[in-house]
Amino acid sequence: MTGDLFADFRDPAHARRLSAAITDVAREPITLMEVCGTHTMAIAKNGIRGLMPDTVKLLSGPGCPVCVTANADIDTAIEISRQPGVILTTFGDMMKVPGSYSSLAREKADGRDVRVVYSPLDSLALAEKEPDRHVVFLGVGFETTAPTIAITIREARRRSVTNWSVLSLHKTVPGALEALVNDPQVAISGFILPGHVSTVIGSGPYEFLAEQYHVPGVITGFEPLDVLQGIWMLASQLAEGRAEIEIAYTRAVMPQGNRVAIAAIEQVFTPIDAEWRGIGVIPGTGLAIREEFAYFDTRVRVPVTPPEPREIRGCQCGDVLRGAVLPYECRLFGRACTPEHPIGPCMVSSEGSCAAYYRYTDHGKV
Amino acid sequence: MCLGIPAKIITEPNDNGMAEVEIMGVTRWVSLHMVPQAKVGDHVLVHAGFALEVISDEFAAETLELFRQMGMPGTENLEPMEVDFGATA
């Protein structure tokens, strides 16, 4: 049973030892940020904040791809779903995320053909089954997801599928980290780096953090002990005055990443400037489909002009994503905005910081 | 969203590069395009219908060995990459 494969990575006795070791090395106050929604969930669900000494503050950053997608981009997806003959396919996380005026869930309720798929390959298979419709895949996600879309686009070309395209809203992580270390409102001592993004890109793309900014990072796995080990390695580096990019998640991350996946991303996509909710436009952190694959680019195949975007009144999701505001510090948190009636994306997505704080903690104060 | 789920490969890939894997008792077709080196019986990390990487059992054992060593007096501050794992590798 693969379910028990990593049971040892949840052993409470080891957790207590690691927690004691962190207390031992973290003599000075430090602020660590994770930038992966799965870490946000792992930290909240396993009560890891409660195991930290007073000196260690854990912040959640812009690690939820759904949450960082700008309103203007969500509005574009909604507008595409309204075009005649279009089937819009998406990962489930995007359905309830509010744009400026609507959400995909609301559009579906209004009769648009919006379908949730597990894999981009399922979307491609749907296009082959529905030759009279144009099937659009809403491409959202970081470097973990981008190669799956790139390979599916290559598959579409190989299989000569003519009625399928991708709206690429993909973003890449390292550039966002640079924007965060330059943010005067957020003083980050070190980064808990994302495990599966790094499975794809390796450790090299983060080296600038250590070299140019003297900010350490540890690529960390997702079991409770993995997270504690990552925090302990960061605290040790900071105590010793070191700044390096280390890999704690050695069972799934190699320094060079996955070369096949990186080559697929580079073949199909080219970097462009991208707008991140809460941070703004970060140069070179978006992935546009290359000219050579323009036939599979929804922006070419189904061009639309969405209405002028607007922000959600009172929602501080953008500040939460930068770590400038903790979820419970937002006036709407737990009052007007709950997982049942979410107002902003950080509460909508199951791995959004607000949803994690709401679900697993006493309004996040533990 | 960047969730990767461990799965065990149970068939050779077909002509489309798809193979069957077992994920916690359930079988599913996933793409092996990104892990050309993977063999039947290997554990892989699955994301959105694709195997992203082969999980290294050896490194998993090494990490666990580190945790075990941390229980011993005086080993709390060991550097993970400098630990001698000769006994487990």
Side-chain angles (χ1 to χ4, degrees):
Chain A
M1 281 288 289
T2 53
D4 296 325
L5 192 58
F6 300 118
D8 282 351
F9 288 88
R10 294 187 284 269
D11 184 332
H14 290 329
R16 277 193 294 275
R17 283 184 204 124
L18 269 166
S19 158
I22 291 166
T23 306
D24 198 39
V25 289
R27 299 286 162 89
E28 300 292 321
I30 54 175
T31 301
L32 308 179
M33 179 182 266
E34 43 79 8
V35 283
C36 168
T38 316
H39 280 147
T40 307
M41 291 294 290
I43 287 170
K45 188 177 171 185
N46 297 301
I48 285 174
R49 279 194 182 81
L51 292 175
M52 291 298 110
D54 292 342
T55 46
V56 178
K57 185 177 179 189
L58 299 180
L59 287 181
S60 291
C64 158
V66 172
C67 304
V68 298
T69 302
N71 275 3
D73 289 334
I74 297 167
D75 296 346
T76 301
I78 287 168
E79 201 60 31
I80 288 164
S81 77
R82 293 173 174 169
Q83 303 308 304
V86 163
I87 302 175
L88 186 91
T89 56
T90 174
F91 292 129
D93 320 40
M94 285 302 290
M95 285 298 284
K96 285 201 227 158
V97 181
S100 304
Y101 307 95
S102 180
S103 67
L104 289 171
R106 197 186 300 170
E107 294 300 310
K108 186 179 170 73
D110 284 349
R112 323 289 177 205
D113 200 341
V114 181
R115 305 189 197 182
V116 171
V117 291
Y118 164 71
S119 167
L121 289 169
D122 297 341
S123 173
L124 185 62
L126 177 67
E128 289 175 308
K129 264 198 312 209
E130 300 268 4
D132 299 331
R133 309 280 297 277
H134 187 89
V135 177
V136 171
F137 183 76
L138 181 52
V140 172
F142 296 141
E143 290 93 331
T144 319
T145 313
T148 73
I149 313 293
I151 291 171
T152 308
I153 289 176
R154 289 200 315 215
E155 259 316 274
R157 186 165 72 171
R158 190 179 71 86
R159 297 193 211 166
S160 306
V161 179
T162 58
N163 61 324
W164 182 82
S165 66
V166 173
L167 177 64
S168 175
L169 303 178
H170 294 288
K171 292 182 174 58
T172 51
V173 169
L177 303 184
E178 183 157 27
L180 288 167
V181 290
N182 283 319
D183 186 337
Q185 263 188 291
V186 197
I188 297 161
S189 322
F191 283 106
I192 299 167
L193 294 169
H196 295 145
V197 163
S198 308
T199 299
V200 171
I201 66 174
S203 56
Y206 307 111
E207 291 290 346
F208 74 94
L209 288 170
E211 286 165 13
Q212 291 175 36
Y213 296 98
H214 207 70
V215 173
V218 174
I219 296 170
T220 302
F222 299 101
E223 298 296 344
L225 291 192
D226 288 322
V227 176
L228 287 169
Q229 186 198 4
I231 293 169
W232 170 70
M233 286 168 72
L234 278 170
S236 302
Q237 284 202 43
L238 289 162
E240 294 161 19
R242 286 186 295 128
E244 292 165 23
I245 305 303
E246 295 178 315
I247 305 175
Y249 193 31
T250 48
R251 64 185 183 277
V253 177
M254 286 181 286
Q256 72 276 19
N258 181 323
R259 287 171 202 264
V260 179
I262 294 168
I265 294 175
E266 287 175 352
Q267 184 191 0
V268 174
F269 296 112
T270 183
I272 47 158
D273 299 350
E275 186 188 348
W276 295 59
R277 184 188 301 273
I279 302 176
V281 173
I282 310 178
T285 57
L287 291 175
I289 296 170
R290 283 186 189 277
E291 190 73 34
E292 186 195 340
F293 293 92
Y295 192 69
F296 303 101
D297 186 346
T298 304
R299 291 188 197 276
V300 174
R301 298 291 302 278
V302 191
V304 293
T305 313
E308 195 62 27
R310 62 175 183 186
E311 291 310 312
I312 307 161
R313 191 186 294 238
C315 172
Q316 289 189 279
C317 187
D319 295 324
V320 169
L321 287 168
R322 288 187 299 130
V325 162
L326 291 171
Y328 58 83
E329 291 171 345
C330 173
R331 274 168 304 165
L332 301 181
F333 180 85
R335 292 187 274 273
C337 185
T338 63
E340 289 72 36
H341 298 283
I343 289 177
C346 297
M347 188 65 92
V348 176
S349 171
S350 62
E351 56 180 43
S353 303
C354 296
Y357 269 70
Y358 189 90
R359 190 163 166 199
Y360 291 114
T361 66
D362 179 16
H363 279 198
K365 286 169 190 167
V366 177
Chain B
M1 185 170 205
C2 295
L3 202 60
I5 299 169
K8 187 177 181 178
I9 301 176
I10 54 177
T11 68
E12 296 285 341
N14 65 15
D15 293 344
N16 281 332
M18 306 289 288
E20 276 190 287
V21 299
E22 184 197 331
I23 303 176
M24 290 185 246
V26 179
T27 56
R28 232 210 105 90
W29 287 91
V30 303
S31 156
L32 296 189
H33 283 93
M34 283 185 248
V35 287
Q37 77 280 24
K39 303 180 299 293
V40 172
D42 281 352
H43 286 99
V44 287
L45 265 181
V46 173
H47 171 75
F50 286 76
L52 277 190
E53 192 54 271
V54 178
I55 300 168
S56 162
D57 291 344
E58 192 180 314
F59 278 120
E62 286 189 6
T63 305
L64 290 171
E65 180 57 21
L66 170 72
F67 293 152
R68 275 188 276 275
Q69 290 199 10
M70 286 190 66
M72 295 181 213
T75 59
E76 285 85 356
N77 294 319
L78 276 181
E79 275 309 305
M81 294 300 118
E82 289 168 15
V83 178
D84 177 14
F85 291 109
T88 57

